[in-house]
Amino acid sequence: MKTPAEKREPRRIKTIEVGFRILRVLEQEQRKLPLKDIAARVGMPASNAYLYLMSFVHEGMVEQDAATGHYSLGAFAIQLGAASLRQSSLIEIAKDLLTGLRNDTRNSVYLSVWGNRGPTIVFKIDGDEYGPLGIRVGHVLPLLGTATGRVFLSYIDDDLTRSLVEQERASSIGLAGTVDERIRGAVVSDIAAKVKTDGYAHTDAALSGGYAASAAPVFDQSGDICAAITILRPESGLSLPADRVNSRLVETARALSIKLGWAAQAVA
């Protein structure tokens, strides 16, 4: 009888393993990569790497920038990550609290986590009036131009956010798709100070795609930010007064943090 060490490993498909080496390279980067860099990192000729990349582009796992030709993870890769997170304990723990927040305010509510390209929506409940059409599970949000982004910007290390902030300042385009000079002139330290004082971030309809947005941080047992809860609401009608909505939002974020093992004194 063979010992466990002598048992043969299950058969695998080598081309899939090689393909995932390429995906891992893209996942580890905070920027789009040229073909030559990807090929060098996985140790294969550029012509071979190109064939893998084109197959991934076709399936939505990879995107190619039309202007530069550089590559990054695609929409389907983000959707896969979001699907995995939907099955995680964070979303299961948050679901009832978020449903209660939505029912109390009648506004759209969503939960975001920090992904490889910034704040990424992983769970969403629509309100009585739908929010911007582009806001969906898997959507990656700007840092300076959204309430969600501003919350993460206030608690995440500058090394992780600096390049994204520089890109957003250069374009100055908000979630609504229009140029807003407030993005170019935004001071990160001022944003962080206000978020930490108020307990939430807020952006108006001009920045947030036609809907006012408020977002509050969720902390884990170590006192680190692990998610953000965001409310999108019409600037008039439907909603409770803004101060009550924001108060309810902060209460919900705090309740979720406590369920995750957070203690207030753990946050600097």
Side-chain angles (χ1 to χ4, degrees), residues 77-154:
I78 295 171
Q79 290 167 17
L80 282 177
S84 175
L85 283 165
R86 283 197 298 271
Q87 299 173 36
S88 73
S89 58
L90 171 62
I91 293 177
E92 287 306 310
I93 293 169
K95 196 173 295 184
D96 287 345
L97 288 169
L98 296 182
T99 300
L101 181 60
R102 181 261 177 253
N103 290 343
D104 288 349
T105 63
R106 301 170 62 193
N107 299 143
S108 295
V109 175
Y110 58 85
L111 182 73
S112 303
V113 300
W114 184 260
N116 68 303
R117 293 195 290 170
T120 305
I121 298 173
V122 295
F123 183 72
K124 178 175 181 287
I125 308 174
D126 287 324
D128 288 2
E129 286 192 5
Y130 296 146
L133 293 178
I135 298 298
R136 62 189 185 279
V137 170
H139 191 77
V140 179
L141 298 162
L143 288 172
L144 296 172
T146 65
T148 308
R150 290 183 173 213
V151 164
F152 280 102
L153 192 61
S154 300

Coordinates of all heavy atoms in Angstrom, one line a residue, residues 77-154:
A77 N -13.4 39.6 -13.7 CA -12.5 39.3 -12.6 C -13.0 40.0 -11.3 O -13.0 39.4 -10.3 CB -11.1 39.8 -12.9
I78 N -13.4 41.2 -11.5 CA -14.0 42.0 -10.3 C -15.3 41.3 -9.9 O -15.6 41.1 -8.7 CB -14.3 43.4 -10.7 CG1 -12.9 44.1 -11.0 CG2 -15.0 44.2 -9.6 CD1 -13.0 45.5 -11.6
Q79 N -16.1 40.9 -10.8 CA -17.4 40.2 -10.5 C -17.1 38.9 -9.7 O -17.8 38.5 -8.8 CB -18.2 39.9 -11.7 CG -18.8 41.2 -12.4 CD -19.3 41.0 -13.8 OE1 -19.6 39.8 -14.2 NE2 -19.5 42.0 -14.5
L80 N -16.1 38.2 -10.1 CA -15.7 36.9 -9.4 C -15.3 37.2 -8.0 O -15.7 36.5 -7.1 CB -14.6 36.2 -10.2 CG -14.9 35.4 -11.4 CD1 -13.7 34.8 -12.0 CD2 -15.9 34.3 -11.1
G81 N -14.5 38.3 -7.8 CA -14.1 38.6 -6.5 C -15.3 39.0 -5.6 O -15.4 38.7 -4.5
A82 N -16.2 39.8 -6.2 CA -17.4 40.2 -5.5 C -18.3 39.0 -5.2 O -18.9 38.9 -4.1 CB -18.2 41.2 -6.4
A83 N -18.4 38.0 -6.1 CA -19.2 36.8 -5.8 C -18.6 36.0 -4.6 O -19.3 35.5 -3.8 CB -19.2 35.9 -7.0
S84 N -17.2 36.0 -4.6 CA -16.6 35.3 -3.4 C -16.9 36.1 -2.1 O -17.2 35.4 -1.1 CB -15.1 35.3 -3.7 OG -14.4 34.8 -2.5
L85 N -16.8 37.4 -2.2 CA -17.1 38.2 -1.0 C -18.5 38.1 -0.5 O -18.8 38.1 0.7 CB -16.7 39.6 -1.2 CG -15.2 40.0 -1.2 CD1 -15.0 41.3 -1.8 CD2 -14.7 39.9 0.2
R86 N -19.5 37.9 -1.5 CA -20.9 37.7 -1.1 C -21.1 36.5 -0.3 O -22.0 36.4 0.5 CB -21.7 37.6 -2.4 CG -22.0 39.0 -3.1 CD -23.2 38.9 -4.0 NE -22.9 38.0 -5.1 CZ -22.4 38.3 -6.3 NH1 -21.9 39.5 -6.5 NH2 -22.2 37.4 -7.2
Q87 N -20.2 35.5 -0.4 CA -20.3 34.3 0.4 C -19.5 34.4 1.7 O -19.5 33.4 2.5 CB -19.8 33.1 -0.5 CG -20.5 32.9 -1.8 CD -19.9 31.9 -2.6 OE1 -19.4 30.9 -2.2 NE2 -20.0 32.1 -3.9
S88 N -18.9 35.5 1.9 CA -18.0 35.6 3.1 C -18.9 36.0 4.3 O -20.0 36.5 4.2 CB -16.9 36.7 2.9 OG -17.5 38.0 2.9
S89 N -18.3 35.9 5.5 CA -19.0 36.2 6.7 C -19.3 37.7 6.8 O -20.3 38.0 7.4 CB -18.1 35.7 7.9 OG -16.9 36.4 7.9
L90 N -18.5 38.6 6.3 CA -18.7 40.0 6.4 C -20.1 40.3 5.8 O -20.9 41.0 6.5 CB -17.6 40.8 5.6 CG -17.9 42.3 5.5 CD1 -18.0 43.0 6.8 CD2 -16.8 42.9 4.6
I91 N -20.4 39.9 4.6 CA -21.7 40.2 4.0 C -22.8 39.5 4.8 O -23.9 40.1 4.9 CB -21.7 39.8 2.5 CG1 -20.7 40.7 1.8 CG2 -23.1 39.9 1.9 CD1 -20.5 40.4 0.3
E92 N -22.6 38.3 5.2 CA -23.7 37.6 5.9 C -24.0 38.4 7.2 O -25.2 38.5 7.6 CB -23.3 36.2 6.2 CG -23.3 35.3 5.0 CD -24.6 35.3 4.3 OE1 -25.7 35.1 5.0 OE2 -24.7 35.5 3.1
I93 N -23.0 38.8 7.9 CA -23.2 39.6 9.2 C -23.8 40.9 8.9 O -24.7 41.4 9.6 CB -21.8 39.8 9.9 CG1 -21.3 38.4 10.4 CG2 -22.0 40.7 11.1 CD1 -19.8 38.5 10.9
A94 N -23.4 41.6 7.8 CA -23.9 42.9 7.5 C -25.3 42.9 6.9 O -26.0 44.0 7.0 CB -23.0 43.6 6.5
K95 N -25.8 41.8 6.3 CA -27.0 41.9 5.5 C -28.2 42.4 6.3 O -29.0 43.3 5.8 CB -27.3 40.5 5.0 CG -28.3 40.4 3.8 CD -28.4 39.0 3.2 CE -27.1 38.6 2.6 NZ -27.2 37.3 1.9
D96 N -28.5 41.9 7.5 CA -29.6 42.3 8.2 C -29.6 43.8 8.6 O -30.5 44.6 8.6 CB -29.8 41.5 9.5 CG -30.3 40.1 9.1 OD1 -30.8 39.9 8.0 OD2 -30.2 39.2 10.0
L97 N -28.4 44.2 9.0 CA -28.2 45.6 9.4 C -28.4 46.6 8.2 O -29.0 47.6 8.3 CB -26.8 45.8 10.0 CG -26.5 45.2 11.3 CD1 -25.0 45.3 11.7 CD2 -27.3 46.0 12.4
L98 N -27.9 46.2 7.0 CA -28.1 47.0 5.9 C -29.5 47.0 5.4 O -30.0 48.1 5.0 CB -27.2 46.5 4.7 CG -25.7 46.6 5.0 CD1 -24.9 46.1 3.8 CD2 -25.2 48.0 5.3
T99 N -30.2 45.9 5.5 CA -31.6 45.9 5.2 C -32.4 46.8 6.1 O -33.3 47.5 5.7 CB -32.2 44.4 5.3 OG1 -31.4 43.6 4.4 CG2 -33.6 44.4 5.0
G100 N -32.1 46.8 7.4 CA -32.8 47.7 8.3 C -32.5 49.1 8.0 O -33.4 50.0 8.1
L101 N -31.3 49.5 7.6 CA -30.9 50.8 7.2 C -31.7 51.3 6.0 O -32.2 52.4 5.9 CB -29.4 51.0 7.0 CG -28.9 52.3 6.6 CD1 -29.2 53.4 7.7 CD2 -27.4 52.2 6.3
R102 N -31.8 50.4 5.0 CA -32.5 50.7 3.8 C -34.0 50.9 4.1 O -34.7 51.9 3.6 CB -32.4 49.6 2.8 CG -33.1 49.8 1.5 CD -34.4 49.1 1.4 NE -35.2 49.4 0.2 CZ -36.2 50.2 0.2 NH1 -36.7 50.8 1.3 NH2 -36.9 50.4 -1.0
N103 N -34.6 50.0 4.9 CA -36.0 50.1 5.2 C -36.3 51.4 6.1 O -37.4 52.0 5.9 CB -36.5 48.9 6.0 CG -36.5 47.7 5.1 OD1 -36.5 47.8 3.9 ND2 -36.5 46.5 5.7
D104 N -35.4 51.8 7.0 CA -35.7 53.0 7.8 C -35.6 54.3 7.0 O -36.3 55.2 7.2 CB -34.7 53.0 8.9 CG -34.9 52.0 10.0 OD1 -36.0 51.4 9.9 OD2 -34.1 51.8 10.9
T105 N -34.6 54.3 6.0 CA -34.4 55.5 5.2 C -35.0 55.5 3.9 O -35.2 56.6 3.3 CB -32.9 55.7 5.1 OG1 -32.3 54.7 4.3 CG2 -32.2 55.8 6.4
R106 N -35.4 54.3 3.4 CA -36.0 54.1 2.0 C -35.0 54.5 0.9 O -35.3 54.7 -0.2 CB -37.3 54.9 1.9 CG -38.3 54.5 2.9 CD -39.5 55.5 2.9 NE -40.2 55.5 1.6 CZ -41.1 56.5 1.2 NH1 -41.4 57.4 2.1 NH2 -41.6 56.4 0.0
N107 N -33.7 54.6 1.3 CA -32.6 55.0 0.3 C -31.8 53.7 -0.1 O -31.8 52.7 0.6 CB -31.7 56.0 0.9 CG -32.4 57.3 1.3 OD1 -32.1 57.9 2.3 ND2 -33.4 57.7 0.5
S108 N -31.1 53.9 -1.2 CA -30.2 52.8 -1.6 C -29.0 52.7 -0.7 O -28.5 53.8 -0.2 CB -29.7 53.1 -3.0 OG -30.7 53.0 -4.0
V109 N -28.6 51.5 -0.3 CA -27.5 51.3 0.6 C -26.6 50.3 0.0 O -27.0 49.3 -0.7 CB -28.1 50.7 1.9 CG1 -27.0 50.3 2.9 CG2 -29.0 51.6 2.6
Y110 N -25.3 50.5 0.1 CA -24.3 49.5 -0.3 C -23.1 49.4 0.6 O -22.8 50.3 1.4 CB -23.9 49.7 -1.8 CG -23.3 51.1 -2.2 CD1 -21.9 51.2 -2.0 CD2 -24.0 52.1 -2.7 CE1 -21.3 52.4 -2.4 CE2 -23.4 53.3 -3.1 CZ -22.1 53.4 -2.9 OH -21.5 54.6 -3.3
L111 N -22.5 48.2 0.5 CA -21.3 47.9 1.3 C -20.1 47.8 0.3 O -20.2 47.1 -0.7 CB -21.5 46.6 2.0 CG -20.4 46.1 2.9 CD1 -20.4 46.9 4.2 CD2 -20.6 44.6 3.3
S112 N -19.0 48.4 0.7 CA -17.8 48.4 -0.1 C -16.6 47.9 0.7 O -16.5 48.1 1.9 CB -17.5 49.7 -0.7 OG -18.6 50.3 -1.4
V113 N -15.7 47.2 0.0 CA -14.4 46.9 0.7 C -13.3 47.4 -0.2 O -13.5 47.8 -1.3 CB -14.3 45.3 0.8 CG1 -15.4 44.8 1.7 CG2 -14.2 44.6 -0.5
W114 N -12.0 47.4 0.3 CA -10.9 47.8 -0.4 C -10.4 46.7 -1.3 O -10.0 45.7 -0.9 CB -9.8 48.3 0.5 CG -8.6 48.9 -0.2 CD1 -7.4 48.2 -0.5 CD2 -8.5 50.2 -0.8 NE1 -6.6 49.1 -1.2 CE2 -7.2 50.3 -1.4 CE3 -9.4 51.3 -0.8 CZ2 -6.8 51.4 -2.0 CZ3 -8.9 52.4 -1.4 CH2 -7.7 52.5 -2.0
G115 N -10.4 47.0 -2.6 CA -10.0 46.0 -3.6 C -8.6 46.4 -4.2 O -8.0 47.4 -3.8
N116 N -8.2 45.7 -5.2 CA -6.8 45.9 -5.7 C -6.8 47.2 -6.5 O -5.7 47.8 -6.8 CB -6.4 44.8 -6.7 CG -7.2 44.7 -7.9 OD1 -8.4 44.6 -7.9 ND2 -6.6 44.7 -9.1
R117 N -8.0 47.8 -6.9 CA -8.0 49.0 -7.6 C -8.8 50.1 -6.9 O -9.0 51.2 -7.5 CB -8.6 48.8 -9.0 CG -7.7 48.0 -9.9 CD -8.1 48.1 -11.4 NE -9.4 47.4 -11.6 CZ -10.1 47.5 -12.7 NH1 -9.7 48.2 -13.7 NH2 -11.3 46.9 -12.9
G118 N -9.1 49.9 -5.6 CA -9.8 50.9 -4.9 C -11.0 50.4 -4.2 O -11.3 49.2 -4.2
P119 N -11.9 51.3 -3.7 CA -13.1 50.8 -3.0 C -14.0 50.1 -4.0 O -14.4 50.7 -5.1 CB -13.8 52.1 -2.5 CG -12.6 53.1 -2.5 CD -11.7 52.7 -3.6
T120 N -14.5 48.9 -3.7 CA -15.2 48.1 -4.6 C -16.5 47.7 -3.9 O -16.5 47.1 -2.8 CB -14.4 46.8 -4.9 OG1 -13.2 47.2 -5.5 CG2 -15.2 46.0 -6.0
I121 N -17.7 47.9 -4.6 CA -19.0 47.5 -4.0 C -19.2 46.0 -4.1 O -19.0 45.4 -5.1 CB -20.1 48.2 -4.8 CG1 -20.0 49.7 -4.8 CG2 -21.5 47.8 -4.3 CD1 -20.9 50.5 -5.7
V122 N -19.5 45.4 -2.9 CA -19.7 44.0 -2.8 C -21.1 43.6 -2.5 O -21.5 42.4 -2.6 CB -18.7 43.4 -1.8 CG1 -17.3 43.6 -2.3 CG2 -18.9 44.0 -0.4
F123 N -21.9 44.5 -2.1 CA -23.3 44.2 -1.7 C -24.1 45.5 -1.8 O -23.7 46.6 -1.5 CB -23.4 43.7 -0.3 CG -24.8 43.3 0.1 CD1 -25.4 42.1 -0.4 CD2 -25.5 44.0 1.0 CE1 -26.7 41.7 0.0 CE2 -26.8 43.6 1.4 CZ -27.4 42.5 0.9
K124 N -25.4 45.4 -2.4 CA -26.2 46.6 -2.6 C -27.7 46.3 -2.5 O -28.1 45.2 -2.9 CB -25.9 47.1 -4.0 CG -26.7 48.3 -4.5 CD -26.2 48.8 -5.8 CE -27.0 50.0 -6.3 NZ -28.4 49.7 -6.7
I125 N -28.4 47.2 -1.9 CA -29.9 47.1 -1.8 C -30.4 48.4 -2.3 O -30.1 49.5 -1.8 CB -30.3 46.9 -0.3 CG1 -29.6 45.7 0.3 CG2 -31.8 46.7 -0.3 CD1 -30.0 45.6 1.8
D126 N -31.3 48.3 -3.3 CA -31.8 49.5 -3.9 C -32.9 50.1 -3.0 O -33.6 49.5 -2.3 CB -32.5 49.2 -5.3 CG -31.5 48.9 -6.4 OD1 -30.4 49.6 -6.4 OD2 -31.7 48.0 -7.2
G127 N -33.0 51.5 -3.1 CA -34.0 52.2 -2.4 C -35.2 52.4 -3.2 O -35.4 51.8 -4.3
D128 N -36.1 53.2 -2.7 CA -37.4 53.5 -3.4 C -37.1 54.1 -4.8 O -37.8 53.9 -5.7 CB -38.3 54.4 -2.6 CG -38.9 53.6 -1.4 OD1 -38.6 52.4 -1.2 OD2 -39.7 54.2 -0.7
E129 N -36.1 54.9 -4.8 CA -35.6 55.5 -6.1 C -34.2 54.9 -6.4 O -33.3 54.9 -5.5 CB -35.5 57.0 -6.1 CG -36.9 57.7 -6.1 CD -36.7 59.2 -6.4 OE1 -35.6 59.6 -6.6 OE2 -37.8 59.9 -6.3
Y130 N -34.0 54.3 -7.5 CA -32.7 53.7 -7.9 C -31.6 54.8 -7.9 O -31.9 56.0 -8.2 CB -32.7 53.0 -9.2 CG -33.6 51.9 -9.3 CD1 -34.3 51.5 -10.4 CD2 -33.8 51.0 -8.2 CE1 -35.2 50.5 -10.5 CE2 -34.7 49.9 -8.2 CZ -35.3 49.7 -9.4 OH -36.2 48.6 -9.4
G131 N -30.4 54.5 -7.5 CA -29.3 55.4 -7.6 C -28.7 55.4 -9.0 O -29.4 54.9 -10.0
P132 N -27.6 56.0 -9.2 CA -27.0 56.1 -10.5 C -26.8 54.7 -11.2 O -26.5 53.8 -10.5 CB -25.6 56.7 -10.3 CG -25.8 57.5 -9.0 CD -26.8 56.7 -8.2
L133 N -27.1 54.6 -12.5 CA -27.1 53.3 -13.1 C -25.7 52.6 -13.0 O -25.7 51.4 -13.1 CB -27.5 53.5 -14.6 CG -29.0 54.0 -14.8 CD1 -29.2 54.1 -16.3 CD2 -30.0 53.0 -14.2
G134 N -24.6 53.4 -13.0 CA -23.3 52.8 -12.9 C -23.0 52.2 -11.6 O -22.0 51.4 -11.5
I135 N -23.8 52.4 -10.6 CA -23.5 51.9 -9.3 C -24.0 50.5 -9.1 O -25.2 50.3 -9.1 CB -24.1 52.8 -8.1 CG1 -23.5 54.2 -8.2 CG2 -23.8 52.2 -6.8 CD1 -22.0 54.2 -8.0
R136 N -23.1 49.5 -9.2 CA -23.5 48.1 -9.2 C -22.5 47.3 -8.4 O -21.4 47.8 -8.1 CB -23.7 47.6 -10.6 CG -22.4 47.6 -11.4 CD -22.5 47.3 -12.8 NE -21.2 47.2 -13.5 CZ -20.5 48.2 -13.9 NH1 -21.0 49.5 -13.7 NH2 -19.4 48.1 -14.5
V137 N -22.8 46.1 -8.1 CA -21.9 45.2 -7.4 C -20.7 45.0 -8.3 O -20.8 44.7 -9.5 CB -22.5 43.8 -7.0 CG1 -21.5 42.9 -6.6 CG2 -23.6 44.1 -5.9
G138 N -19.5 45.1 -7.8 CA -18.2 45.0 -8.6 C -17.7 46.4 -9.1 O -16.6 46.4 -9.5
H139 N -18.5 47.4 -8.9 CA -18.1 48.7 -9.4 C -16.9 49.3 -8.5 O -17.0 49.2 -7.2 CB -19.2 49.7 -9.4 CG -19.0 51.0 -10.1 ND1 -19.0 51.1 -11.5 CD2 -18.7 52.2 -9.6 CE1 -18.7 52.4 -11.8 NE2 -18.5 53.1 -10.7
V140 N -15.9 49.8 -9.1 CA -14.8 50.4 -8.3 C -15.0 51.9 -8.3 O -15.2 52.6 -9.3 CB -13.4 50.1 -9.0 CG1 -12.3 50.7 -8.2 CG2 -13.2 48.6 -9.0
L141 N -14.9 52.5 -7.1 CA -15.3 53.9 -6.9 C -14.1 54.8 -6.7 O -13.0 54.4 -6.2 CB -16.1 54.0 -5.6 CG -17.5 53.3 -5.7 CD1 -18.0 53.1 -4.3 CD2 -18.5 54.0 -6.5
P142 N -14.2 56.0 -7.2 CA -13.1 57.0 -7.0 C -12.9 57.3 -5.5 O -13.8 57.2 -4.7 CB -13.5 58.3 -7.8 CG -14.6 57.8 -8.7 CD -15.3 56.6 -8.0
L143 N -11.7 57.8 -5.2 CA -11.4 58.1 -3.8 C -11.8 59.6 -3.5 O -12.5 59.8 -2.4 CB -9.9 58.0 -3.5 CG -9.4 56.6 -3.5 CD1 -7.8 56.6 -3.4 CD2 -9.9 55.8 -2.3
L144 N -11.4 60.5 -4.3 CA -11.7 61.9 -4.0 C -13.1 62.3 -4.3 O -13.7 63.2 -3.7 CB -10.7 62.8 -4.8 CG -9.3 62.7 -4.4 CD1 -8.4 63.5 -5.4 CD2 -9.0 63.2 -3.0
G145 N -13.7 61.7 -5.3 CA -15.0 62.2 -5.8 C -16.2 61.4 -5.3 O -17.3 61.7 -5.7
T146 N -16.0 60.5 -4.3 CA -17.2 59.8 -3.7 C -17.1 59.8 -2.2 O -15.9 59.8 -1.6 CB -17.3 58.3 -4.2 OG1 -16.1 57.6 -3.7 CG2 -17.4 58.3 -5.7
A147 N -18.2 59.7 -1.5 CA -18.2 59.6 0.0 C -17.5 58.3 0.4 O -16.7 58.3 1.4 CB -19.6 59.7 0.5
T148 N -17.8 57.2 -0.3 CA -17.1 55.9 0.0 C -15.6 56.1 -0.1 O -14.9 55.6 0.8 CB -17.6 54.9 -1.0 OG1 -19.1 54.9 -1.0 CG2 -17.1 53.5 -0.6
G149 N -15.1 56.6 -1.2 CA -13.7 56.8 -1.4 C -13.1 57.6 -0.3 O -12.0 57.3 0.2
R150 N -13.8 58.7 0.1 CA -13.2 59.6 1.1 C -13.1 58.9 2.5 O -12.2 59.2 3.2 CB -14.1 60.8 1.2 CG -13.9 61.7 0.0 CD -14.7 63.0 0.0 NE -14.3 63.8 -1.1 CZ -14.3 65.2 -1.1 NH1 -14.6 65.8 0.0 NH2 -13.9 65.8 -2.2
V151 N -14.0 58.0 2.8 CA -13.9 57.2 4.0 C -12.6 56.4 4.0 O -11.8 56.4 4.9 CB -15.2 56.4 4.2 CG1 -14.9 55.3 5.3 CG2 -16.3 57.3 4.7
F152 N -12.4 55.6 2.9 CA -11.2 54.8 2.8 C -10.0 55.6 2.8 O -9.0 55.3 3.5 CB -11.3 53.9 1.6 CG -12.1 52.7 1.7 CD1 -13.4 52.6 1.2 CD2 -11.7 51.6 2.4 CE1 -14.2 51.5 1.3 CE2 -12.5 50.4 2.6 CZ -13.8 50.4 2.0
L153 N -10.0 56.7 2.1 CA -8.9 57.6 2.1 C -8.5 58.1 3.4 O -7.3 58.4 3.7 CB -9.2 58.8 1.2 CG -8.1 59.8 0.7 CD1 -7.1 59.0 -0.1 CD2 -8.7 60.9 -0.1
S154 N -9.4 58.2 4.3 CA -9.2 58.7 5.7 C -8.5 57.7 6.6 O -7.9 58.1 7.6 CB -10.5 59.2 6.3 OG -11.1 60.2 5.5

